[in-house]
Amino acid sequence: MADWQEISGGVTAPRGYQAAGITAGLKPSGLPDLALILSEGDAIAAGVFTTNQVRAACVDYCRQRLQAKAITRAILCNAGQANAGTGTQGWADALECAQLLGEQLNIAPESVLLASTGVIGQRIKMEILRAALPQLVAAVSDTGSDAAAKAIITTDLVPKTIALETTLHDRPVRIGGIAKGSGMIHPNMATMLAFVTCDAAVSPHLWQQMLSRAADRSFNQITVDGDTSTNDSLIALANGMSRTPAITDPGPDADKLEAMLTEVCIYLAQAIARDGEGATCLIEVEVSGAEDEKSACQVARTIAGSSLVKSAIFGRDPNWGRIAGAAGRSGVIFDQEDLQIKLGDFVMMDRGQPVAFDRTAANAYLKQAAAGEYLKSDTVAISVSIGSGPGRGKAWGCDLSYDYVKINAEYTT
């Protein structure tokens, strides 16, 4: 049983955080497009960012800030323009964003972290942003998480938010998160933004280690289309306002907090995969019997990212051969005589041999998942065993539909 409970409030559920989201006019659609997350006091910050060699100005900015000092007060996120591939002027825009927000909040610009999402190659519309910052700052509140979650999305169909609570030393500790992402989703990192807040006190080095491991088990285990982007950022703040003893070393308290942090990240990662562009269902791949967790995760990622597997699931075709083929090309060595494949409750291969199954019923299972209610019964479960080792891992993806091509063919037009 989980040692935490779900609560409302998103990134403002932990103590000492406020948030806001407004319509500044950055998006041509006229939808909300500017968000702010603010900590009442100094917060320890950790981050995981894109591995793409083409990076947005905000990514390089945040990396520099976190390397210099892991103390943060605010996260500013704009939607509409990615400010990636924008050269020296895009970098100057990022610095100005931090400077302007610092002045509005009366904090040091170095205490501001930045994120952007939108069309690559487009600078932030600075004239609009400058005019909107006073309104944004005025809008921050203890209940502003939902507004912020709506303001960071682009092609997403739904905002993504979660908050959990546990106890440490008989005091409540909370972690909240919001995320965006729908297309160009693939590990290392997926095209996504995620912001996590926590009110525990954690040392900077330990908090970064926790977040990196949580990312490996969540955001680096999702795939929609095999592409990663220029702006991917996962930023987590911990401000210590729960007034629990500081966690400075590995141990039971650190393990408990990291488990809850990982759960928040997994929930948000699943929500991104579930909301993949044009998707009709979530695919969850669980691999067991591997030599270690890393190998199991690699096999799971390969299956979840296979265009043939994803297309078959969209077509409601229980074609287990595509799953076997993807597992076999994952780069992980195993004996095919040990291979077992299940689709839901249907065993399709066991000990490397095909198993007769009710194809009509399996087809119905896939149709039921596609018709399932969001976040409840819309998951296609694929279970694969490749041996008798202790390694287990999960990955998440979505089916590949006609609408995915339509959405991306018309993205900038």
Side-chain angles (χ1 to χ4, degrees), residues 346-364:
F346 300 95
V347 178
M348 299 180 164
M349 178 178 243
D350 192 30
R351 298 181 183 179
Q353 301 295 317
V355 175
F357 65 94
D358 187 335
R359 181 170 291 273
T360 300
N363 172 264

Side-chain angles (χ1 to χ4, degrees), residues 155-406:
T155 59
D156 307 51
L157 295 179
V158 294
K160 300 158 181 70
T161 179
I162 181 70
L164 300 177
E165 179 182 275
T166 190
T167 56
L168 289 175
H169 302 277
D170 297 321
R171 292 186 64 85
V173 171
R174 298 169 179 171
I175 298 179
I178 60 174
K180 67 82 55 182
S182 185
M184 294 181 76
I185 302 295
H186 201 58
N188 297 322
M189 290 249 303
T191 298
M192 45 144 284
L193 300 177
F195 308 122
V196 174
T197 58
C198 174
D199 54 16
V202 193
S203 66
H205 181 66
L206 193 59
W207 187 232
Q208 180 62 59
Q209 289 182 328
M210 288 181 181
L211 187 67
S212 296
R213 287 191 292 262
D216 282 342
R217 295 185 171 112
S218 57
F219 298 111
N220 280 336
Q221 286 297 112
I222 58 174
T223 179
V224 169
D225 48 20
D227 271 297
T228 59
S229 186
T230 54
N231 293 55
D232 320 334
S233 302
L234 164 61
I235 299 172
L237 308 183
N239 67 6
M241 297 196 72
S242 65
R243 305 296 182 229
T244 50
I247 302 173
T248 58
D249 298 296
D253 286 354
D255 291 344
K256 192 173 185 179
L257 189 68
E258 182 175 339
M260 189 164 71
L261 173 65
T262 302
E263 185 67 18
V264 165
C265 290
I266 287 175
Y267 178 94
L268 294 173
Q270 288 178 326
I272 289 173
R274 175 178 276 114
D275 194 25
E277 290 173 343
T280 68
C281 62
L282 176 71
I283 301 170
E284 180 176 86
V285 182
E286 182 171 14
V287 173
S288 61
E291 183 178 308
D292 50 35
E293 181 184 2
K294 181 179 179 181
S295 297
C297 287
Q298 186 171 328
V299 176
R301 279 198 309 271
T302 305
I303 295 169
S306 166
S307 295
L308 289 177
V309 171
K310 291 154 65 69
S311 298
I313 290 176
F314 174 67
R316 320 312 169 205
D317 178 12
N319 186 346
W320 60 266
R322 293 182 173 181
I323 300 170
R329 68 172 173 82
S330 66
V332 173
I333 297 173
F334 62 89
D335 190 337
Q336 65 177 329
E337 304 262 329
D338 293 329
L339 186 61
Q340 182 192 72
I341 297 173
K342 291 175 64 178
L343 178 68
D345 293 330
F346 300 95
V347 178
M348 299 180 164
M349 178 178 243
D350 192 30
R351 298 181 183 179
Q353 301 295 317
V355 175
F357 65 94
D358 187 335
R359 181 170 291 273
T360 300
N363 172 264
Y365 166 72
L366 293 173
K367 288 181 177 178
Q368 180 182 11
E373 184 180 351
Y374 185 81
L375 293 180
K376 291 186 179 179
S377 58
D378 63 344
T379 304
V380 171
I382 296 174
S383 302
V384 175
S385 177
I386 60 172
S388 56
R392 303 180 71 92
K394 288 184 178 181
W396 298 271
C398 61
D399 57 341
L400 187 59
S401 72
Y402 310 131
D403 283 343
Y404 175 83
V405 176
K406 180 177 174 61

Side-chain angles (χ1 to χ4, degrees), residues 113-161:
L113 294 179
L114 304 173
S116 299
T117 182
V119 179
I120 295 170
Q122 292 188 4
R123 288 174 51 200
I124 301 169
K125 296 177 181 178
M126 292 302 296
E127 185 174 343
I128 293 174
L129 185 137
R130 291 186 197 104
L133 282 180
Q135 178 190 352
L136 179 68
V137 170
V140 293
S141 74
D142 298 337
T143 58
S145 181
D146 286 347
K150 292 175 183 176
I152 66 174
I153 64 177
T154 49
T155 59
D156 307 51
L157 295 179
V158 294
K160 300 158 181 70
T161 179

